Amino acid sequence: TLDGQERRPDRVLVKGNEAVVIDYKFGAYTEGSTVGMYKKQVSRYKDLLTSMGYSNVKGYLWYLQADKVISV
């Protein structure tokens, strides 16, 4: 948990001390506040993985319909 709330990322890939978190989005991609909200969500997942001891953590939003990947 982080901030007392349970977190469930869509996908976490782990190899050694590295972790990658991917959050899939199925709606259309549009610039705006929802992208910022989703980036914060992925950042929290990254923080949680870092607190678990992973030293190299990356995060991505993947808008499947637009095939757009955003690094967080």
Side-chain angles (χ1 to χ4, degrees), residues 14-40:
V14 174
K15 183 177 181 181
N17 217 12
E18 299 178 29
V20 176
V21 61
I22 304 168
D23 197 30
Y24 300 110
K25 299 300 174 195
F26 295 95
Y29 171 77
T30 56
E31 294 283 338
S33 62
T34 56
V35 173
M37 178 180 65
Y38 295 144
K39 283 182 176 181
K40 286 182 184 180

Side-chain angles (χ1 to χ4, degrees), residues 1 4 6 16 28 33 37 39-40 42 44 49 57-58 60 64:
T1 64
E6 189 172 300
S33 62
M37 178 180 65
K39 283 182 176 181
K40 286 182 184 180
V42 172
R44 287 192 294 263
L49 288 163
V57 181
K58 297 177 184 173
Y60 301 96
L64 296 169

